[in-house]
Amino acid sequence: MPTEPTRAPGAGQSADAILAELRGLREADAPTRGGRTFAYVYDAGLDGLDELAAAAYTAFATVNGLDPTVFPSVARLENDVVGAVAALLGAPGAQGTFTSGGTESILLAVKTARDHARAERGVRAPELVLPSTAHAAFHKAAHYLGLETVVVPVDPLTFRADAAAMAAAITDDTALVVASAPSYAHGVIDPVAAIAAAAAARGVLCHVDACIGGWLLPHLRRAGRAIEPFGLSVPGVTSVSVDLHKYGYADKGASVVLYRDAGLRRHQYFAHAGWPGYPVVNPTVQGTKPGGLLAQAWAVLRYVGDDGYAALAARVAEASDRLLAGLGTIGGLRVLGDPVPGLVAVTAVGGTGADGGGEPDLSLLLHLADEMRERGWYLQPQLSFDGLPPNLHLTLTPATADRVDDLLADLRAALGSARALPPVSVDPGLAELAAGLDPDTLGPDEVAAVLAFAGLGGDGGLPARTAPVLALLDALPRALKERLLTEFIGSVFRI
Ligand SMILES: *Cc1c(COP(=O)(O)O)cnc(C)c1O
């Protein structure tokens, strides 16, 4: 049912009333500080950091990053921030760009590769070769930019990309080959050197998605952990993406994409002189750009400092060790692969032996996520895909380090409660009906019926317990899943 739009208020309201309303809206949200939300948020737990980021944003809130000739401060800040990333992960001559996030960094890296392949190699129908664990942002980029994706299955035990299979997937039309350091889903580092070498041997570009690991891994190395090189120092790697709004602990809207040299980065830029307005040259997707996001990221990097980041990385690593050891003692939970410190994907298995020994149990896993949510924790459900088991994803940050022991205790208790619940099952009739639907020709009424069946009808909110919905989603064919997700989010943003 379409909702009537409400006009902005006729008479302006007081600042106090407005801020009170905004703060009230936050009450239903997952907490972004305090270490109980294990995805989406990155809490350094440092006194004064949030206040500094907000003040730095405010100082630049009215600045337009569109034109560094009018606002030279923007060039100074961006050169500093990109320079800091280049110093960690670059090679001589590396150049980059500050972007709004990992997705934009990846979008730009894919555009650069497409245009490079077109200009330098005459490629007309560009392809993107990526492991099945590559972030969805690459599929989005391929979708936006008109590339074909060539998805290469990963090793089903290690969850790492299969370098030989990736090499075999490269063709004369390949514009870009992708590796992750590490992957978001399982937190494992792909064999970057072998993949990059295979790409280079064919004259193809190679992007390392270090969105989540790019700022953490070098500092883990400084803190004494063994981490193989994965940046532009690795022969054949031609671009890297690094999110500062993850383990850089900047506020959201901060990432860097870095290229081997200026000749490559040029393909990212868009210039236009064919209109009567001002001469346009945009490095990124946006035109008008917030100066504040750049300023807050710059401020956060300075406030924490290199030694501070090494200390925070050590804290994440220590917490990660404790979490992995603890998970190993809970029968029925199994960690997937050998993740880098900071990320964990854990599945629930049938049986109660040391690691259950049994098969991944989707119903138990989803009940566990709901039980944990009732106990005040957010762990991120990830569904099964191409033979890879469903799991719960946890991102550890310094703030979660103090919570690990409580988390483990609650996981133990929640698993007991989850086992006592009747398994969620997908109505075979619905699954069958759904499997027979053609997602492209579904009318709104049919979609609404399936959503209602899944408990997603009406008010656009998720039901308190998400297990039945996610179990249904898990069972549906991919195209239908995507259609339902689209309809669902359309019902959330209902105007
Ligand atoms: C977070 C992430 C992305 C996407 O970044 P956003 O900032 O969410 O747009 C891409 N790749 C990896 C590995 C990530 O962790």
Side-chain angles (χ1 to χ4, degrees), residues 279-305:
V280 168
V281 52
N282 292 161
T284 65
V285 174
Q286 291 173 309
T288 288
K289 284 206 278 207
L293 292 176
L294 176 59
Q296 62 86 24
W298 183 90
V300 168
L301 293 188
R302 298 210 148 200
Y303 188 70
V304 180

Side-chain angles (χ1 to χ4, degrees), residues 119-203:
E120 312 280 329
R121 295 167 45 220
V123 172
R124 291 278 138 238
E127 294 172 355
L128 181 59
V129 172
L130 68 174
S132 58
T133 49
H135 196 279
F138 289 97
H139 295 270
K140 180 173 176 177
H143 178 73
Y144 278 20
L145 297 168
L147 285 83
E148 284 298 322
T149 53
V150 179
V151 177
V152 181
V154 297
D155 181 299
L157 292 179
T158 64
F159 305 94
R160 298 176 78 211
D162 177 340
M166 295 209 35
I170 299 173
T171 71
D172 290 344
D173 285 332
T174 306
L176 186 66
V177 177
V178 174
S180 308
S183 63
Y184 180 80
H186 307 107
V188 300
I189 302 182
D190 289 334
V192 170
I195 292 169
R202 298 288 298 264

Side-chain angles (χ1 to χ4, degrees), residues 417-431:
S417 311
R419 282 210 182 88
L421 291 168
V424 271
S425 57
V426 178
D427 185 303
L430 178 68

Side-chain angles (χ1 to χ4, degrees), residues 101-103 106 135 182 184 209 211-212 243 245-246:
T103 298
I106 287 168
H135 196 279
Y184 180 80
D209 178 7
C211 278
I212 201 158
D243 289 352
H245 62 200
K246 289 178 179 160

Side-chain angles (χ1 to χ4, degrees), residues 50 55 71 74 81-82 98 109 114 143 164 181 284 331 342 427 456 494:
D50 288 343
F71 301 102
V74 165
V81 169
V82 174
F98 180 80
R114 182 197 67 179
H143 178 73
T284 65
D427 185 303
L456 289 177
R494 53 184 182 272

Side-chain angles (χ1 to χ4, degrees), residues 95-485:
Q95 294 196 325
T97 303
F98 180 80
T99 77
S100 65
T103 298
E104 189 180 14
S105 288
I106 287 168
L107 192 75
L108 293 172
V110 172
K111 182 228 183 279
T112 298
R114 182 197 67 179
D115 291 359
H116 174 272
R118 209 180 256 166
E120 312 280 329
R121 295 167 45 220
V123 172
R124 291 278 138 238
E127 294 172 355
L128 181 59
V129 172
L130 68 174
S132 58
T133 49
H135 196 279
F138 289 97
H139 295 270
K140 180 173 176 177
H143 178 73
Y144 278 20
L145 297 168
L147 285 83
E148 284 298 322
T149 53
V150 179
V151 177
V152 181
V154 297
D155 181 299
L157 292 179
T158 64
F159 305 94
R160 298 176 78 211
D162 177 340
M166 295 209 35
I170 299 173
T171 71
D172 290 344
D173 285 332
T174 306
L176 186 66
V177 177
V178 174
S180 308
S183 63
Y184 180 80
H186 307 107
V188 300
I189 302 182
D190 289 334
V192 170
I195 292 169
R202 298 288 298 264
V204 173
L205 302 181
C206 174
H207 181 82
V208 172
D209 178 7
C211 278
I212 201 158
W215 201 259
L216 177 67
L217 297 177
H219 291 103
L220 279 171
R221 195 185 292 131
R222 278 195 74 204
R225 301 285 165 141
I227 302 284
E228 281 181 24
F230 58 90
L232 291 171
S233 66
V234 177
V237 174
T238 53
S239 58
V240 184
S241 47
V242 179
D243 289 352
L244 299 175
H245 62 200
K246 289 178 179 160
Y247 285 103
Y249 307 109
D251 279 336
K252 311 270 178 254
S255 176
V256 166
V257 57
L258 194 66
Y259 298 95
R260 182 163 285 292
D261 55 43
L264 202 45
R265 187 179 63 171
R266 194 173 299 125
H267 292 286
Q268 177 190 294
Y269 289 177
F270 174 79
H272 189 73
W275 75 314
Y278 59 89
V280 168
V281 52
N282 292 161
T284 65
V285 174
Q286 291 173 309
T288 288
K289 284 206 278 207
L293 292 176
L294 176 59
Q296 62 86 24
W298 183 90
V300 168
L301 293 188
R302 298 210 148 200
Y303 188 70
V304 180
D306 221 25
D307 295 345
Y309 280 113
L312 293 174
R315 213 162 138 64
V316 167
E318 179 280 324
S320 209
D321 290 347
R322 211 153 20 99
L323 178 63
L324 290 174
L327 289 172
T329 68
I330 303 179
L333 295 184
R334 184 197 292 161
V335 172
L336 301 180
D338 182 15
V340 298
L343 303 175
V344 180
V346 62
T347 195
V349 291
T352 54
D355 88 348
E359 290 296 305
D361 182 335
L362 176 71
S363 169
L364 183 60
L365 184 83
L366 297 176
H367 276 326
L368 176 63
D370 282 341
E371 286 297 317
M372 288 301 281
R373 200 141 185 201
E374 290 201 347
R375 288 167 171 79
W377 305 95
Y378 180 75
L379 316 182
Q380 190 177 41
Q382 304 190 121
L383 300 181
S384 60
F385 171 71
D386 193 31
L388 309 182
N391 59 80
L392 299 180
H393 173 105
L394 287 78
T395 299
L396 292 162
T397 65
T400 62
D402 291 335
R403 301 279 188 189
V404 166
D405 299 329
D406 292 346
L407 175 83
L408 286 165
D410 273 353
L411 269 173
R412 220 178 269 279
L415 193 60
S417 311
R419 282 210 182 88
L421 291 168
V424 271
S425 57
V426 178
D427 185 303
L430 178 68
E432 198 178 318
L433 166 81
L437 296 173
D438 174 359
D440 293 333
T441 59
L442 277 186
D445 293 347
E446 287 157 300
V447 172
V450 179
L451 285 176
F453 203 107
L456 289 177
D459 64 1
L462 272 180
R465 299 201 60 106
T466 58
V469 180
L470 293 175
L472 173 68
L473 259 195
D474 196 76
L476 295 178
R478 175 178 154 185
L480 187 58
K481 233 181 252 187
E482 289 167 354
R483 176 73 202 273
L484 292 180
L485 288 169

